[in-house]
Amino acid sequence: MKSLFLSTALLLAAPAAFACGTFTVGDLTIEHAWSKATIGADRPAVFYVEITNGGSTDDALIGITTPAATMPMLHETVVTDGIASMPHAMSIPVPVGETVALSPGAYHGMLMGLATALKEGDRFPVTLTFENAGDVTVDADVLSLRAEGPDCSDAGQ
Amino acid sequence: MRLRNLQIILWTAAIVATVAFFALRWSSAGMQDVADAAFSPSFSLADSEGTQRTSEEFRGKFLLVFFGFTNCPDVCPTTLSEVAQVMDDLGPDAAKVQPIFVSIDPVRDRRLGLREYTEAFHPAILGLAGTDADTEAAAESFKIYFAREADAAVADGYTMSHSPGLFLIGPDGVWLRQFAYGTPAAEILSDLRSRF
Ligand SMILES: [Cu+2]
């Protein structure tokens, strides 16, 4: 009884692990929504997230919106013949049974027209629009400029 | 007769442009090959204070050179974060290495603030943003490619494409190798340590 009380107290006291929340819409599970601190508000911020399709129909991420930026877009960093560029991604496929990651060096949300600089520890909502599943709003957590991704290993997910 | 002269001039210009185009294509496509041949890339570019800095003044140090632009939220921070990690992990050996960020978008980067950008990653990183001519000369010397691409949907109406590699230059100024985009900091660190 005492140990149960203690563990409950610890659970309540532990700060929610950053960028480790889980969101769902239809058969899609959205996790690890994060961003990096920006240097000022004049340069674009970035948005990364992981989407798992647990359903029986292929889906696709077709857009993002956020109050944090006036011009959010989906991009894909591609390195072809040693040249990196980042064309628009009109649609990011989320096939049945797969997890698709927007991650450094690959697909990413590009948040242009920031309302204010993003600081480590900030949290802002991002609405993802899927072709089939529709809209879902997730919380994106701002990690440090040098972060490679959220550390959710001890988050008990 | 005047018309004929004009035709000759135009044809010559067209041929020169075609040759230059293929020469440029060839030089960027041949990047892997040149990594093997000994050469000493050079630059002369203004730093954030407007002081002209040259490759010669860094003789005696290893140089980690990265070409990028500060309006680049995905590729550039990844590489600069790795460089920052390498500098932290080098400890006292950090004095033997000078990391340099060369802007390929110098006008905008000077406006946005070059120094605050490089310092946000690591105070050791030197940011350089020269004139367009100096920048092209440096890129040519390093045999790297960059281009401005019109993109009406993004801020300022353009974005940059570029060679995202990290280049290692020896204390004698000779090109040593390229670290491909995404090379982990630990790998760069151990490569550097093996050369001290
Ligand atoms: Cu982008």
Side-chain angles (χ1 to χ4, degrees):
Chain A
M1 185 60 198
K2 192 183 164 198
S3 68
L4 178 70
F5 173 76
L6 199 69
S7 59
T8 309
L10 276 174
L11 201 67
L12 291 172
F18 231 51
C20 296
T22 298
F23 304 84
T24 57
V25 59
D27 295 320
L28 304 179
T29 305
I30 294 106
E31 293 175 291
H32 303 154
W34 65 288
S35 180
K36 283 182 191 177
T38 62
I39 305 158
D42 295 332
R43 299 185 180 90
V46 77
F47 170 70
Y48 300 122
V49 70
E50 282 169 38
I51 304 148
T52 302
N53 187 345
S56 52
T57 327
D58 290 342
D59 210 331
L61 177 62
I62 53 173
I64 52 172
T65 56
T66 173
T70 55
M71 279 172 63
M73 278 175 81
L74 296 172
H75 279 180
E76 181 179 15
T77 292
V78 287
V79 183
T80 310
D81 296 334
I83 312 299
S85 58
M86 46 174 202
H88 303 178
M90 298 309 287
S91 161
I92 299 176
V94 188
V96 169
E98 286 187 28
T99 297
V100 172
L102 276 64
S103 62
Y107 287 118
H108 57 275
M110 179 110 160
L111 310 179
M112 293 168 286
L114 285 183
T116 159
L118 301 182
K119 288 185 290 298
E120 185 176 354
D122 286 353
R123 172 174 286 182
F124 60 93
V126 178
T127 301
L128 311 180
T129 302
F130 293 96
E131 206 164 56
N132 297 322
D135 287 1
V136 58
T137 299
V138 305
D139 289 328
D141 287 325
V142 181
L143 306 184
S144 82
L145 183 63
R146 284 167 58 176
E148 289 170 5
D151 180 10
C152 301
S153 52
D154 55 359
Q157 46 168 344
Chain B
M1 193 61 192
R2 288 228 333 254
L3 184 66
R4 203 179 133 65
N5 279 343
L6 185 66
Q7 276 178 330
I8 290 169
I9 290 165
L10 284 175
W11 271 110
T12 309
I15 290 163
V16 167
T18 308
V19 169
F21 173 78
F22 283 104
L24 274 172
R25 297 257 310 202
W26 174 82
S27 68
S28 60
M31 209 162 79
Q32 290 309 116
D33 306 331
V34 299
D36 298 330
F39 75 109
S40 301
S42 64
F43 59 80
S44 176
L45 298 159
D47 64 16
S48 59
E49 314 305 309
T51 308
Q52 203 73 5
R53 311 294 293 266
T54 66
S55 35
E56 283 71 32
E57 71 181 88
F58 298 101
R59 292 288 189 268
K61 283 189 169 196
F62 287 91
L63 298 185
L64 279 174
V65 183
F66 176 70
F67 288 77
F69 58 112
T70 76
N71 221 35
C72 158
D74 189 48
V75 170
C76 306
T78 304
T79 303
L80 289 175
S81 297
E82 275 155 14
V83 169
Q85 192 61 48
V86 167
M87 295 313 288
D88 280 350
D89 294 345
L90 277 170
D93 285 334
K96 297 174 184 164
V97 180
Q98 175 62 56
I100 294 177
F101 172 83
V102 179
S103 171
I104 53 164
D105 189 13
V107 174
R108 183 165 63 176
D109 283 349
R110 272 197 301 270
R111 173 166 58 80
L112 291 172
L114 187 63
R115 191 181 194 138
E116 61 163 359
Y117 182 79
T118 54
E119 278 186 347
F121 291 94
H122 201 287
I125 301 172
L126 173 66
L128 300 177
T131 61
D132 284 343
D134 288 349
T135 305
E136 272 159 36
E140 200 173 311
S141 180
F142 276 79
K143 305 190 195 297
I144 72 120
Y145 168 93
F146 73 91
R148 179 194 266 243
E149 292 178 355
D151 186 342
V154 304
D156 304 327
Y158 71 93
T159 181
M160 307 296 297
S161 61
H162 64 109
S163 307
L166 179 66
F167 308 114
L168 178 64
I169 311 301
D172 55 357
V174 173
W175 167 286
L176 293 174
R177 63 166 292 179
Q178 169 180 194
F179 297 102
Y181 170 69
T183 304
E187 214 176 302
I188 300 168
L189 183 70
S190 68
D191 179 288
L192 281 169
R193 286 219 165 110
S194 73
R195 298 173 189 273
F196 294 153

